[in-house]
């Protein structure tokens, strides 16, 4: 280890020199686009503030009396936890006040939330304020997932149809992960970058520039408890993952947290495939198109990976309802290609 006793501040200065905060990064990106209005920085600022507040609540969840069921159920009949409700309110408040958003599609709201006084605002945000909430009580990673769209037609009042856009029209997509550290990973269609929250500065700092998912990986993530209900092609693929074969590095490792962000984030960094297939209980899979699948699909494609429903590219699905579910095969390109090919066979 280097001895810095003669000049104790030196090493810190060195590290600080390369520090790029999220705010700085967004400002730099904006400067590259003539005519940028600053709308994105305002939306991101709202998301960032919301995430910092939720992060604070998540970190003290075991201490404060905010764990456990809230006693109400959301539109999909799932129990809401207190923190789900807090996170939903927090993001809706900040996004409503940023002056850029006309509507918010939230997992926790039955209908689109129309921002009061936001009729003339241009952007729509879809959000899962706290994904993986069944993991709150056991202290596993959870997160916030978001996508930003431009509304279709500014000449008339925004309506639900403006919210039902294909993933290919996303302007930005990202997630905050409240894990052993807190991170933001996002794309605006120009690669993927990751920022880690420096607790002492309370700033997200660029830590994972230009993230690329390995083309192939050795991890498969699926809830195997549902295997009796898997379609034949999915069962074949999972059996193939477990076979011994030196040349292809099999068997692969099975990793499943049951929190999409945590499972996705690990596979993004290490290479792997995440599958939530159709099952008898959930014929369209479990995960929601507008604020889970499309978001992750945009990120993974921008990182060099692939996302499919098994029959089509996720981002090309034409949504018919806000809380629509689709099957999801997502991750390293070669693994997803193989899984999808086996579905047909
Ligand atoms: P949630 O939005 O209600 O938290 O549910 C979504 C979560 C995902 O994070 C995760 O991938 C999936 O549910 C796990 O489902 P299962 O428990 O059926 O494996
Ligand atoms: Mg969710």
């Amino acid at each position: 280890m280097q001895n810095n006793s003669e000049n104790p501040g030196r090493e810190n200065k060195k590290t600080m020199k390369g520090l790029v905060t999220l705010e700085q990064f967004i400002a730099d990106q904006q400067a590259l686009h003539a005519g940028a209005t600053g709308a994105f920085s305002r939306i991101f600022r709202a998301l960032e503030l919301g995430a910092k507040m939720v992060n604070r609540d998540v970190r003290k969840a075991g201490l404060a009396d905010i764990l456990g069921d809230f006693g109400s159920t959301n539109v999909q009949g799932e129990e809401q936890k207190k923190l789900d409700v807090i996170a939903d309110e927090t993001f809706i408040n900040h996004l409503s006040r940023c002056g850029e958003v006309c509507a918010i599609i939230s997992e926790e709201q039955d209908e689109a939330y129309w921002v009061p006084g936001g009729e003339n605002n241009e952007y729509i945000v879809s959000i899962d304020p706290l994904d993986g909430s069944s993991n709150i009580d056991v202290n596993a990673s959870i997160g916030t997932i978001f996508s930003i769209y431009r509304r279709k037609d500014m000449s008339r009042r925004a309506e639900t149809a403006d919210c039902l856009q294909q993933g290919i029209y996303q302007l930005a997509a990202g997630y905050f992960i409240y894990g052993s550290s807190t991170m933001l990973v996002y794309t605006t269609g120009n690669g993927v970058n990751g920022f880690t929250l420096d607790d002492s500065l309370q700033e997200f700092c660029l830590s994972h520039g230009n993230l690329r998912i390995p083309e192939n990986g050795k991890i498969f993530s699926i809830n195997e408890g549902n295997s009796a209900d898997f379609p034949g092609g999915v069962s074949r693929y999972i059996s193939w993952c477990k076979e011994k074969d030196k040349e292809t590095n099999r068997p692969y490792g099975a990793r499943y947290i049951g929190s999409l962000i945590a499972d996705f984030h690990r596979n993004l960094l290490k290479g792997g495939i995440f599958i939530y297939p159709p099952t008898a209980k959930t014929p369209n899979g479990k995960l929601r198109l507008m604020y889970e699948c499309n978001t992750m699909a945009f990120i993974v494609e921008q990182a060099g990976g692939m996302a499919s429903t098994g029959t089509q590219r996720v981002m090309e699905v034409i949504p018919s309802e806000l809380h629509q579910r689709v099957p999801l095969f997502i991750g390293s390109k070669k693994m997803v290609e193989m899984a999808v090919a086996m579905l047909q066979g």
Side-chain angles (χ1 to χ4, degrees):
M1 190 183 280
Q2 212 178 324
N3 183 349
N4 244 352
S5 52
E6 283 175 22
N7 189 354
R10 198 163 159 214
E11 217 167 59
N12 276 346
K13 263 192 202 149
K14 251 182 166 175
T15 329
M16 298 295 283
K17 208 174 149 198
L19 194 96
V20 179
T21 65
L22 176 63
E23 216 175 332
Q24 185 61 51
F25 186 84
I26 292 173
D28 291 349
Q29 296 293 306
Q30 231 166 239
L32 299 175
H33 299 283
T37 60
F40 259 47
S41 357
R42 284 187 281 278
I43 299 174
F44 266 89
R45 182 83 188 121
L47 290 165
E48 185 190 352
L49 268 174
K52 283 178 184 169
M53 290 177 74
V54 171
N55 181 57
R56 187 193 56 195
D57 290 341
V58 167
R59 298 282 168 224
K60 67 178 187 194
L63 295 172
D65 182 27
I66 50 178
L67 279 176
D69 302 342
F70 188 58
S72 57
T73 52
N74 70 9
V75 61
Q76 288 140 69
E78 297 158 337
E79 246 172 26
Q80 285 187 349
K81 302 282 179 181
K82 268 188 187 175
L83 266 177
D84 299 33
V85 178
I86 294 167
D88 190 43
E89 286 171 4
T90 304
F91 282 106
I92 286 186
N93 276 342
H94 287 296
L95 288 167
S96 297
R97 275 196 257 136
C98 79
E100 302 293 343
V101 176
C102 63
I104 301 163
I105 307 162
S106 163
E107 179 179 329
E108 303 300 340
Q109 306 277 331
D110 304 7
E111 308 288 342
Y113 176 86
W114 301 103
V115 172
E119 302 78 43
N120 297 321
N121 295 342
E122 213 175 324
Y123 298 94
I124 294 165
V125 175
S126 59
I127 191 162
D128 183 349
L130 206 57
D131 181 68
S133 47
S134 61
N135 281 311
I136 298 171
D137 290 1
V138 296
N139 207 358
S141 299
I142 48 180
T144 299
I145 311 176
F146 64 87
S147 291
I148 304 175
Y149 293 82
R150 181 174 284 116
R151 102 189 208 203
K152 280 180 179 162
D153 188 346
M154 288 299 289
S155 66
R156 55 162 173 75
R157 219 184 153 80
E159 48 196 49
T160 306
D162 291 284
C163 301
L164 293 173
Q165 297 188 39
Q166 286 165 285
I168 46 174
Y169 296 114
Q170 288 170 102
L171 302 176
Y175 58 84
F176 293 93
I177 176 167
Y178 313 111
S180 42
S181 61
T182 299
M183 277 190 75
L184 162 67
V185 173
Y186 84 93
T187 181
T188 52
N190 190 19
V192 180
N193 290 289
F195 299 78
T196 303
L197 183 67
D198 181 315
D199 273 334
S200 57
L201 298 174
Q202 275 300 296
E203 291 278 1
F204 282 96
C205 303
L206 183 63
S207 52
H208 298 65
N210 192 23
L211 270 170
R212 304 293 297 168
I213 184 168
E215 209 180 16
N216 220 335
K218 287 195 293 182
I219 296 173
F220 68 100
S221 313
I222 189 168
N223 186 344
E224 272 204 275
N226 297 327
S227 60
D229 284 335
F230 287 167
V234 172
S235 302
R236 277 194 294 281
Y237 179 70
I238 299 304
S239 304
W240 181 85
C241 290
K242 295 183 199 168
E243 278 168 16
K244 279 189 174 176
D245 180 50
K246 262 200 177 148
E247 226 171 85
T248 52
N249 265 320
R250 285 177 292 148
Y252 296 155
R255 296 283 184 278
Y256 192 74
I257 296 170
S259 173
L260 173 64
I261 296 182
D263 284 310
F264 177 89
H265 186 71
R266 179 199 55 241
N267 292 1
L268 177 68
L269 297 182
K270 297 193 166 214
I273 184 169
F274 173 94
I275 302 177
Y276 209 110
T279 65
K281 202 170 89 189
T282 53
N284 296 317
K286 178 185 180 190
L287 302 177
R288 274 54 58 110
L289 176 64
M290 297 303 298
Y291 40 77
E292 289 173 333
C293 302
N294 268 336
T295 312
M296 297 309 184
F298 192 16
I299 295 170
V300 89
E301 285 196 12
Q302 282 294 315
M306 184 174 167
S308 168
T309 63
T311 51
Q312 74 179 123
R313 183 181 172 209
V314 168
M315 289 208 289
E316 287 178 359
V317 175
I318 299 174
S320 52
E321 341 162 4
L322 294 180
H323 300 288
Q324 180 170 345
R325 298 172 195 265
V326 290
L328 184 63
F329 298 76
I330 192 166
S332 293
K333 193 159 182 278
K334 290 212 160 132
M335 298 179 89
V336 176
E337 277 170 355
M338 172 70 91
V340 170
M342 285 200 183
L343 291 179
Q344 329 302 339

